[in-house]
Amino acid sequence: MTSLESSEKPMRAQVEELVFSLQDQIVSALETLDPNAPKFKRDSWVRTQGGRGQSCVFACPADDPSIVPESVLEKAGVNISVVHGVLPPAAIKQMRADHTSMPLPDRPDGLPFFAAGISLVIHPRNPHAPTVHANYRYFEITEPGEKDQANSEESKLLAWWFGGGCDLTPSYLYEEDAIHFHSTLKTACDKHGSQLYPSFKEWCDEYFYIPHRNETRGIGGIFFDDLNEGPHARLHSPNSADAAPRPTSPAEIFSFIQDLGNAFIPSYVPILQKRNSLPFTPLERRWQLLRRGRYVEFNLVYDRGTKFGLMTPGARIESILMSLPETARWEYMSELGQEEGTEEAKLIQVLKKPKEWV
């Protein structure tokens, strides 16, 4: 996939090029997998408060619920945004809570920001094919200045960081799929330091936890935030006695993000190809919809990105809620997943006690 050479371009421009390229390649790979399905809808937009983006969304709803479309995907979105503006005090407060390692000053008029990233969620139709999520982003906070300079590349940087991750959410557990997914991510991480995958895998299991259900959303992957040149709460300092190599400069961290973005297709598409045509029963579909209900619960109640997005002026609500499945289900005291020895219970065991897959 994408491989950008080291560049003298500002980091903003490099990240923008990367996310547009990744989006194009991921959408093309998914469309190639199912050539008879409708194409992704490509919706380019301009943000009034500053910036632009493109949402690529797949949906194939049937007017008659008794008719099940034959597409591999049920709903999917691969969205990119490159936006700038001023964070209001409420958003700064939320950001300060989420990024304690980078204290931000109080500004009654807000703080200028720049953000660029790619965010995707794929919900396949077949219950044996897992849902996947990935998000990679770059953020800058700058000092307020003259109106025409507040979001320019010359503004004084108060903070910058990269964040992101990729995680798998199956309804039915195939251990070989989990091993393949985690192994592909680990290979991409290990090029940049041996401490990255184990640290970010553990963080992923912690982040995608649903407290009121006492289970994780899925079988994990990696999750990280606040990655910059400074000390990191999850990683050894480069200057410590037990230091392991890790990316610290903007160029090194950008290279790490590139490799993770390039790992998405090989980590997920082979699994989708293997599982999308397996036969399934009405009970398995019912279980899939119950698991999607859990997905909705996490995204609306706990997900930091959803909360922050809804607080950002000019937010595109449709893009923020793109991650939600087309159909989900809730049952009162459902017995599914409770009976020992069933495939549904096998998944629940792993969700309640995350495994080391590689």
Side-chain angles (χ1 to χ4, degrees):
M1 289 177 68
T2 302
S3 178
L4 297 179
E5 299 296 328
S6 60
S7 173
E8 295 302 318
K9 294 179 181 177
M11 185 54 66
R12 294 183 178 196
Q14 294 184 64
V15 174
E16 181 174 353
E17 288 182 16
L18 175 64
V19 297
F20 271 91
S21 179
L22 285 173
Q23 182 190 48
D24 181 64
Q25 293 176 66
I26 292 169
V27 170
S28 295
L30 294 170
E31 289 180 336
T32 300
L33 183 67
D34 193 6
N36 296 321
K39 298 293 186 183
F40 276 66
K41 178 182 179 180
R42 290 159 170 81
D43 176 24
S44 296
W45 49 268
V46 175
R47 180 173 177 270
T48 305
Q49 292 85 350
R52 65 186 180 119
Q54 180 171 256
S55 299
C56 293
V57 178
F58 178 91
C60 192
D63 294 330
D64 182 348
S66 66
I67 299 175
V68 180
E70 296 183 357
S71 60
V72 171
L73 304 181
E74 185 167 354
K75 184 182 176 187
V78 184
N79 295 349
I80 56 174
S81 60
V82 182
V83 299
H84 57 83
V86 177
L87 291 178
I92 295 171
K93 182 179 179 181
Q94 179 70 45
M95 180 168 284
R96 190 181 289 115
D98 293 340
H99 303 274
T100 55
S101 64
M102 290 178 287
L104 299 172
D106 285 311
R107 294 287 191 274
D109 295 328
L111 286 171
F113 78 96
F114 170 88
I118 180 169
S119 180
L120 66 90
V121 177
I122 312 297
H123 292 292
R125 195 170 296 281
N126 193 305
H128 296 279
T131 287
V132 71
H133 157 260
N135 175 289
Y136 297 108
R137 58 194 177 275
Y138 173 68
F139 219 99
E140 289 182 0
I141 302 291
T142 58
E143 188 70 59
E146 297 296 330
K147 187 173 181 181
D148 60 346
Q149 294 178 345
N151 283 291
S152 74
E153 289 154 3
E154 290 75 30
S155 301
K156 180 184 176 183
L157 269 179
L158 294 175
W160 65 268
W161 67 91
F162 286 89
C166 187
D167 61 282
L168 200 66
T169 305
S171 298
Y172 287 92
L173 180 63
Y174 291 90
E175 294 205 358
E176 62 267 36
D177 294 351
I179 292 169
H180 169 80
F181 183 78
H182 279 266
S183 295
T184 307
L185 293 179
K186 183 177 185 298
T187 298
C189 289
D190 284 353
K191 289 173 59 178
H192 302 271
S194 59
Q195 64 173 320
L196 298 177
Y197 171 79
S199 298
F200 295 162
K201 191 270 183 191
E202 180 181 19
W203 200 350
C204 185
D205 291 336
E206 293 173 9
Y207 180 79
F208 290 106
Y209 179 68
I210 308 173
H212 64 270
R213 297 291 188 181
N214 191 31
E215 63 189 38
T216 56
R217 188 178 74 175
I219 60 167
I222 59 170
F223 175 88
F224 61 94
D225 212 346
D226 300 348
L227 203 57
N228 59 21
E229 73 230 328
H232 197 286
R234 297 269 178 166
L235 300 171
H236 295 306
S237 168
N239 300 318
S240 65
D242 55 355
R246 73 171 179 90
T248 53
S249 72
E252 290 170 344
I253 301 174
F254 179 67
S255 177
F256 174 53
I257 298 296
Q258 283 180 287
D259 285 337
L260 292 176
N262 290 340
F264 176 77
I265 288 177
S267 74
Y268 179 67
V269 171
I271 297 173
L272 185 56
Q273 288 174 315
K274 187 188 301 184
R275 305 298 173 198
N276 79 77
S277 59
L278 292 179
F280 61 89
T281 66
L283 182 143
E284 289 170 335
R285 172 64 171 170
R286 177 182 155 207
W287 175 245
Q288 179 194 42
L289 296 183
L290 286 170
R291 295 314 311 167
R292 287 187 175 168
R294 299 291 200 270
Y295 205 92
V296 171
E297 289 174 26
F298 176 85
N299 282 29
L300 293 183
V301 177
Y302 299 110
D303 185 63
R304 284 173 18 184
T306 302
K307 289 181 181 179
F308 180 78
L310 295 175
M311 290 181 179
T312 303
R316 286 177 55 84
I317 304 303
E318 294 297 326
S319 296
I320 293 170
L321 299 181
M322 169 274 299
S323 64
L324 301 180
E326 182 175 281
T327 311
R329 183 182 181 95
W330 285 264
E331 295 180 7
Y332 182 76
M333 303 293 285
S334 177
E335 78 285 358
L336 285 182
Q338 304 303 313
E339 189 176 343
E340 227 175 284
T342 63
E343 289 300 310
E344 293 80 17
K346 179 181 171 184
L347 174 71
I348 292 295
Q349 288 174 0
V350 171
L351 300 184
K352 289 188 177 296
K353 190 175 180 181
K355 285 183 62 172
E356 299 297 328
W357 296 105
V358 293

